[in-house]
Amino acid sequence: MEKDWPTLIVGGLFFLLGAIFCCVAAWIVFGDRLEAARLEAGGAKARAEVLRKLIVANRTTGSFVKPKHRIEYRFVPTRGEPVTAQEDIDPALWQRLGKGDAIEVAYLPADPSDHRIEGRTTDWAVALIFGLVGGFFAPVGFWVARNGLRGKEPDQPARTVRWINDNPPFALGSIGVVFFLIFAVAGVGWASLASDEAGEFARRAQAVEGMVIEKTIVRKSSSTSSSGGARSSSQSTHYHAAYRYVADGVEVLGISALDSDDWERLKERGPIAITYVGGAPWKHRVGDESGVWLWIGPAIFLGIGGLGMLGSGYALRRGWLRRDVAPPRQPKARPPQPAPAVDAPPASPAKPAGGNWIVWLVGAVFFAAGSSLAVSGLLDLLEERRFEADGQLVEARIVDKGIQQAERGERRSTAYTVTYRFTTKEGGSVEGRAVLKPD
């Protein structure tokens, strides 16, 4: 029996995609445990001092803010310079800690920057999403690839195809109801969350003035295909602002996407009006926002789910009413006529030309992308190894500081630059320039 190579290739790609997503989900879940075990086996421990506590509220990743409880800390390894870093930790531990308190940290003596503090959080939502995607694509890909290995039998259609052919309205209506039900349920849950947050703002809204830290212009590209087969690319521009405010005694670092005019009116290190929910300072709005944007996502999901279920339900009803109607009889297949005896062996069927170039093209794209990433990673690794082997530590002096603000059509983000100068151990003077974080 001849293998169905297109089905086998598609199934293999689906299975590979699902396996990659499953591996990422497994790494998110178990990677922290493996890292903790590695540091426990070959590392040292120290007590780090909490320098700062803050909550990060990023409003550019969705309609609702998932707060990140972050601390800035410093610890002194047995050998080497003090290490200062930031990390997101468990909210309960974050509440107990205060400025100046101690927290345990495990680190590698050879590289103290490779360390781990207690209470570090894991993003279970990301792991769940990757696991669900991988859990869907891997079995589907395996099933499709298995059908490709079994070969194709045109006279015997698959069971799913026979089910659809016997009663298309009922089959497609059933599939559509299940598919669009997911959108409807998600829209209802989303609308419930939006209603709860709108009620919180109505009952416990408070105003405070914050300070703008950074303005950024983000450009996202997307490609679309027209009816003629041609592909066109479009670019959307988003105006982001990072700001800091203190509410309920807690420092909050907020990030929001703004209208271009509102973004233009803001100034670096200037004031910004914030409205937040008392008791939950990470829930906030910028300026005079009305909160209508909270309902855009639920409305889209409810519209897709509702209209899709109505259409699918109508098709399902029609199929249910005709479920007892016998399918039309298929004409009986004529018995195959015996082939005439010939002396020459039958010629093998000609294989369609031009089918393998798609596989070669896809493979070439993956090979080129993988090779470029591998070379880039190898160069970075070699540079880090060179600094570890031959690097020398000296003290530099800050010569100048500057802020280059983001502007439309020019600089996408604000750059906080410093110019520094240091003297090598050989006596040479070197001047350099670096872009640092706002803090």
Short mmCIF file of all heavy atoms in Angstrom, two decimals, residues 52-56 68-72 86 88 94 244 250-253 439:
data_model
loop_
_atom_site.label_atom_id
_atom_site.label_comp_id
_atom_site.label_asym_id
_atom_site.label_seq_id
_atom_site.Cartn_x
_atom_site.Cartn_y
_atom_site.Cartn_z
N ARG A 52 13.85 47.50 47.98
CA ARG A 52 12.69 48.19 47.45
C ARG A 52 11.60 47.19 47.14
O ARG A 52 11.87 46.06 46.74
CB ARG A 52 13.12 48.95 46.18
CG ARG A 52 12.05 49.71 45.45
CD ARG A 52 12.68 50.30 44.21
NE ARG A 52 11.70 50.82 43.27
CZ ARG A 52 11.94 51.00 41.98
NH1 ARG A 52 13.13 50.68 41.49
NH2 ARG A 52 11.02 51.50 41.18
N LYS A 53 10.35 47.59 47.34
CA LYS A 53 9.18 46.78 47.01
C LYS A 53 8.30 47.58 46.05
O LYS A 53 8.11 48.79 46.23
CB LYS A 53 8.37 46.44 48.26
CG LYS A 53 9.05 45.51 49.22
CD LYS A 53 8.20 45.35 50.48
CE LYS A 53 6.79 44.88 50.17
NZ LYS A 53 5.96 44.69 51.39
N LEU A 54 7.75 46.89 45.06
CA LEU A 54 6.84 47.55 44.13
C LEU A 54 5.94 46.52 43.47
O LEU A 54 6.23 45.32 43.51
CB LEU A 54 7.60 48.34 43.07
CG LEU A 54 8.39 47.57 42.02
CD1 LEU A 54 8.53 48.40 40.76
CD2 LEU A 54 9.77 47.19 42.53
N ILE A 55 4.85 47.00 42.88
CA ILE A 55 3.93 46.18 42.12
C ILE A 55 3.98 46.64 40.67
O ILE A 55 3.86 47.84 40.39
CB ILE A 55 2.50 46.28 42.66
CG1 ILE A 55 2.42 45.70 44.07
CG2 ILE A 55 1.52 45.54 41.75
CD1 ILE A 55 1.04 45.79 44.68
N VAL A 56 4.15 45.71 39.74
CA VAL A 56 4.19 46.02 38.32
C VAL A 56 2.81 45.74 37.74
O VAL A 56 2.30 44.62 37.84
CB VAL A 56 5.27 45.20 37.60
CG1 VAL A 56 5.28 45.52 36.11
CG2 VAL A 56 6.64 45.48 38.21
N LYS A 68 2.28 41.93 39.30
CA LYS A 68 3.51 41.20 39.64
C LYS A 68 4.12 41.86 40.87
O LYS A 68 4.39 43.06 40.85
CB LYS A 68 4.49 41.23 38.47
CG LYS A 68 4.00 40.50 37.23
CD LYS A 68 5.04 40.54 36.13
CE LYS A 68 4.56 39.78 34.89
NZ LYS A 68 5.57 39.82 33.81
N HIS A 69 4.31 41.09 41.91
CA HIS A 69 4.87 41.59 43.16
C HIS A 69 6.39 41.44 43.09
O HIS A 69 6.90 40.32 43.13
CB HIS A 69 4.29 40.83 44.35
CG HIS A 69 2.81 41.04 44.50
ND1 HIS A 69 1.88 40.43 43.69
CD2 HIS A 69 2.10 41.80 45.37
CE1 HIS A 69 0.67 40.80 44.05
NE2 HIS A 69 0.77 41.63 45.07
N ARG A 70 7.07 42.55 42.99
CA ARG A 70 8.51 42.56 42.69
C ARG A 70 9.28 43.19 43.84
O ARG A 70 8.80 44.13 44.50
CB ARG A 70 8.77 43.32 41.40
CG ARG A 70 10.20 43.33 40.92
CD ARG A 70 10.27 43.91 39.52
NE ARG A 70 9.52 43.08 38.57
CZ ARG A 70 9.33 43.40 37.29
NH1 ARG A 70 9.84 44.52 36.81
NH2 ARG A 70 8.64 42.59 36.50
N ILE A 71 10.46 42.66 44.09
CA ILE A 71 11.38 43.26 45.07
C ILE A 71 12.73 43.48 44.39
O ILE A 71 13.12 42.77 43.46
CB ILE A 71 11.57 42.37 46.32
CG1 ILE A 71 12.19 41.01 45.93
CG2 ILE A 71 10.26 42.19 47.06
CD1 ILE A 71 12.63 40.19 47.12
N GLU A 72 13.43 44.51 44.86
CA GLU A 72 14.82 44.75 44.48
C GLU A 72 15.68 44.43 45.70
O GLU A 72 15.38 44.88 46.81
CB GLU A 72 15.02 46.20 44.05
CG GLU A 72 16.43 46.51 43.60
CD GLU A 72 16.58 47.95 43.13
OE1 GLU A 72 15.55 48.63 42.95
OE2 GLU A 72 17.74 48.38 42.95
N GLN A 86 16.46 42.27 40.63
CA GLN A 86 15.03 42.33 40.90
C GLN A 86 14.40 40.99 40.56
O GLN A 86 14.87 40.29 39.67
CB GLN A 86 14.36 43.44 40.09
CG GLN A 86 14.77 44.84 40.48
CD GLN A 86 13.99 45.90 39.71
OE1 GLN A 86 13.19 45.59 38.83
NE2 GLN A 86 14.22 47.16 40.03
N ASP A 88 10.32 38.74 40.76
CA ASP A 88 8.92 38.63 41.15
C ASP A 88 8.77 37.46 42.11
O ASP A 88 9.24 36.35 41.81
CB ASP A 88 8.04 38.42 39.92
CG ASP A 88 8.11 39.59 38.95
OD1 ASP A 88 8.36 40.72 39.41
OD2 ASP A 88 7.93 39.38 37.74
N TRP A 94 5.71 38.61 49.68
CA TRP A 94 5.92 40.04 49.40
C TRP A 94 5.26 40.91 50.46
O TRP A 94 5.80 41.93 50.87
CB TRP A 94 5.37 40.35 48.01
CG TRP A 94 5.62 41.75 47.53
CD1 TRP A 94 6.69 42.18 46.80
CD2 TRP A 94 4.77 42.89 47.71
NE1 TRP A 94 6.57 43.51 46.51
CE2 TRP A 94 5.39 43.97 47.07
CE3 TRP A 94 3.56 43.09 48.35
CZ2 TRP A 94 4.84 45.25 47.05
CZ3 TRP A 94 3.00 44.36 48.34
CH2 TRP A 94 3.64 45.42 47.70
N ARG A 244 5.18 55.86 37.43
CA ARG A 244 5.26 55.37 38.81
C ARG A 244 4.35 56.21 39.68
O ARG A 244 4.29 57.43 39.54
CB ARG A 244 6.69 55.43 39.32
CG ARG A 244 6.87 54.92 40.74
CD ARG A 244 8.28 55.10 41.24
NE ARG A 244 9.22 54.25 40.52
CZ ARG A 244 10.18 54.69 39.74
NH1 ARG A 244 10.32 56.00 39.54
NH2 ARG A 244 11.00 53.87 39.13
N VAL A 250 1.85 51.77 48.72
CA VAL A 250 2.57 50.82 47.87
C VAL A 250 3.03 51.54 46.61
O VAL A 250 2.27 52.30 45.99
CB VAL A 250 1.67 49.63 47.50
CG1 VAL A 250 2.41 48.67 46.56
CG2 VAL A 250 1.22 48.89 48.75
N GLU A 251 4.28 51.29 46.21
CA GLU A 251 4.80 51.85 44.96
C GLU A 251 4.35 50.95 43.80
O GLU A 251 4.54 49.73 43.84
CB GLU A 251 6.32 51.93 44.99
CG GLU A 251 6.92 52.49 43.71
CD GLU A 251 8.44 52.50 43.74
OE1 GLU A 251 9.01 52.12 44.77
OE2 GLU A 251 9.04 52.85 42.71
N VAL A 252 3.76 51.56 42.78
CA VAL A 252 3.24 50.82 41.63
C VAL A 252 3.93 51.35 40.38
O VAL A 252 4.01 52.56 40.16
CB VAL A 252 1.71 50.97 41.49
CG1 VAL A 252 1.21 50.17 40.29
CG2 VAL A 252 1.00 50.52 42.76
N LEU A 253 4.45 50.42 39.58
CA LEU A 253 5.02 50.75 38.27
C LEU A 253 4.01 50.34 37.22
O LEU A 253 3.73 49.15 37.03
CB LEU A 253 6.35 50.01 38.05
CG LEU A 253 6.99 50.16 36.68
CD1 LEU A 253 7.38 51.61 36.41
CD2 LEU A 253 8.21 49.26 36.54
N ASP A 439 15.95 53.51 36.24
CA ASP A 439 16.35 53.56 37.66
C ASP A 439 17.84 53.72 37.83
O ASP A 439 18.28 54.22 38.87
CB ASP A 439 15.87 52.29 38.37
CG ASP A 439 14.36 52.20 38.41
OD1 ASP A 439 13.72 53.25 38.27
OD2 ASP A 439 13.83 51.09 38.57
#
